[in-house]
Amino acid sequence: MPRMRRSTLRAGDQDIVDFVGFLVAEYGSGNRAAALLREVGQSPGKFFLEDAMLHVWSGIVGKALDDCWFVELVLVVRGKGHTAYAALFERILARADEPATDDEEVRRKVFGAALLDNASVIDRDALRTNLRKFAGARNSHVMVVNGEGTCGKTHSWYLIHHVGQCFGAEPKLVSFERWAGHPARPVEVMENVAGELGWHEVPKVAEDEVKQLNPLGRYFRVNAAGLAQPLWLVLDGVNRTNITDHGLMMVGEIAVSAHKKTAGDHLWVVLMDFERDLWDIESFVLRESIRGITADDVRRFFLSAAAESDHELSAERIDTLVREAVGSAPAVGPLPPVDLGPRADRLARAFFGDQGGTG
């Protein structure tokens, strides 16, 4: 998986302005821009490529800087020659360190990621530690997140999404938390996965759930093997309430295919609320027993927001913000994440203004 690289570069730097000019000159059409984005492992569909190319490339480079794949972009174009720009490439790369061995920059960018689905990234040290292991793991592509019903497993998707993007992955969420009707069978599990990933129609299968497993497993492996960039596939609410026993076997097979790489090299799987063992790969699985969000987690969020927006706050002011965010919640123990995240985000943006990040 591509690793995040630190950089001292900022969007207004002269080297960045010159690099955007190079991209406009050498990749000055939507088709050429799309082809280059694919080489860097980014989906062209995330960008509007029909605008004036100066605007297009300024936006793409800004996004690359924010999401930690700018250095990968420079390395790809440098590998294509462009000798007239060699000095520019070298200046840019000289300002980027080796791949980061810690997540200081990822943590600092929490505030900038806070508007994903109008929710905030509330930091969790233990989960972040396991996510960092997950991002760098060579012997495991599977993580299981369990915990009590009110601890915020579903809300942890926002942190998983943020960290995954910063490590060069595309996170995708398939949630069975609000699955309506009968528990999902293998075919409905796969239809939900395929729908989220934009795959072609799931093949027709027998009514017998046992007979659904093999053809659906083949369908998944064939399609996942064609992934062009690292994918963190997050399956939420995968439990007996929402999914049948054979549907859970299908979920398990998805995870096993990620670990054994029978679905290619670009798949990582996170299972939330999955309480079963994963057969012969169990010893390789990263397991996280998630705890609830606490006031200390909220404090770290405000400290990250302050650092990202270049504010220095006294301990007293941070304490005040935490109290305002927590509101009438209990002074000790876990806090309700659904209301807490957006409230903390509103407070941070009101206090730090528009300097807090790209959102």
Side-chain angles (χ1 to χ4, degrees):
M1 175 183 291
R3 300 307 300 264
M4 182 193 73
R5 292 174 181 260
R6 295 179 182 150
S7 176
T8 60
L9 293 161
R10 297 292 178 264
D13 291 358
Q14 187 59 51
D15 282 340
I16 297 299
V17 173
D18 292 344
F19 186 70
V20 170
F22 150 74
L23 291 169
V24 172
E26 300 292 337
Y27 299 89
S29 70
N31 287 339
R32 295 209 69 194
L36 182 56
L37 285 166
R38 291 189 189 96
E39 288 190 60
V40 186
Q42 300 296 319
S43 170
K46 294 179 180 178
F47 305 95
F48 182 66
L49 303 181
E50 304 304 318
D51 203 348
M53 292 310 295
L54 178 59
H55 294 156
V56 169
W57 277 118
S58 295
I60 291 172
V61 168
K63 183 68 171 172
L65 286 166
D66 286 342
D67 290 350
C68 311
W69 50 274
F70 175 70
V71 172
E72 303 300 325
L73 175 61
V74 178
L75 290 171
V76 167
V77 295
R78 185 184 67 168
K80 294 177 174 296
H82 300 299
T83 54
Y85 299 91
L88 173 63
F89 301 153
E90 293 312 312
R91 284 200 307 275
I92 289 173
L93 294 173
R95 296 172 64 183
D97 295 336
E98 290 301 310
T101 56
D102 58 50
D103 65 345
E104 177 184 349
E105 284 296 306
V106 185
R107 186 185 298 275
R108 190 183 66 80
K109 290 168 64 65
V110 159
F111 186 41
L115 288 185
L116 174 68
D117 294 340
N118 295 316
S120 287
V121 177
I122 301 296
D123 215 350
R124 298 168 181 261
D125 271 350
L127 178 58
R128 178 184 284 279
T129 297
N130 260 344
L131 286 172
R132 195 165 59 244
K133 292 178 183 176
F134 184 62
R138 295 183 178 181
N139 62 344
S140 177
H141 280 217
V142 181
M143 181 174 176
V144 176
V145 178
N146 286 321
E148 296 298 323
T150 58
C151 69
K153 290 188 299 293
T154 294
H155 193 84
S156 67
W157 152 248
Y158 300 106
L159 179 60
I160 294 170
H161 181 279
H162 172 63
V163 175
Q165 279 200 324
C166 282
F167 276 99
E170 180 181 18
K172 290 285 188 179
L173 174 66
V174 180
S175 178
F176 293 90
E177 279 295 301
R178 293 180 177 84
W179 176 256
H182 60 80
R185 302 169 301 166
V187 65
E188 285 131 359
V189 168
M190 193 57 62
E191 285 172 348
N192 276 269
V193 171
E196 180 59 40
L197 298 180
W199 291 350
H200 58 79
E201 186 176 354
V202 173
K204 299 293 184 183
V205 291
E207 283 296 315
D208 187 330
E209 291 187 50
V210 176
K211 294 180 180 178
Q212 293 176 4
L213 292 172
N214 284 339
L216 293 174
R218 285 194 298 272
Y219 167 85
F220 179 83
R221 291 189 295 273
V222 168
N223 281 275
L227 291 170
Q229 68 181 95
L231 168 71
W232 283 16
L233 179 61
V234 181
L235 303 179
D236 187 22
V238 283
N239 55 48
R240 289 184 178 87
T241 301
N242 305 323
I243 302 177
T244 67
D245 282 345
H246 288 98
L248 290 173
M249 289 180 67
M250 186 79 263
V251 170
E253 286 194 23
I254 290 172
V256 169
S257 70
H259 170 75
K260 293 187 174 181
K261 299 186 179 181
T262 55
D265 296 331
H266 287 163
L267 178 66
W268 279 253
V269 172
V270 181
L271 304 181
M272 294 190 189
D273 218 19
F274 187 83
E275 296 180 344
R276 299 183 171 201
D277 286 348
L278 281 166
W279 308 301
D280 59 327
I281 75 164
E282 180 61 34
S283 61
F284 300 98
V285 175
L286 288 170
R287 285 192 174 266
E288 166 78 9
S289 182
I290 200 171
R291 58 169 177 78
I293 295 173
T294 67
D296 284 341
D297 298 320
V298 180
R299 180 172 287 102
R300 275 190 293 275
F301 170 76
F302 285 121
L303 288 170
S304 295
E308 189 167 345
S309 54
D310 296 324
H311 282 75
E312 291 187 9
L313 295 186
S314 66
E316 292 77 11
R317 186 55 183 150
I318 289 288
D319 288 342
T320 299
L321 285 169
V322 172
R323 284 195 298 272
E324 292 179 24
V326 171
S328 59
V332 294
L335 305 172
V338 175
D339 296 328
L340 176 63
R343 187 162 59 245
D345 178 64
R346 287 193 299 271
L347 283 166
R349 291 185 183 277
F351 190 77
F352 301 122
D354 293 330
Q355 302 179 61
T358 62

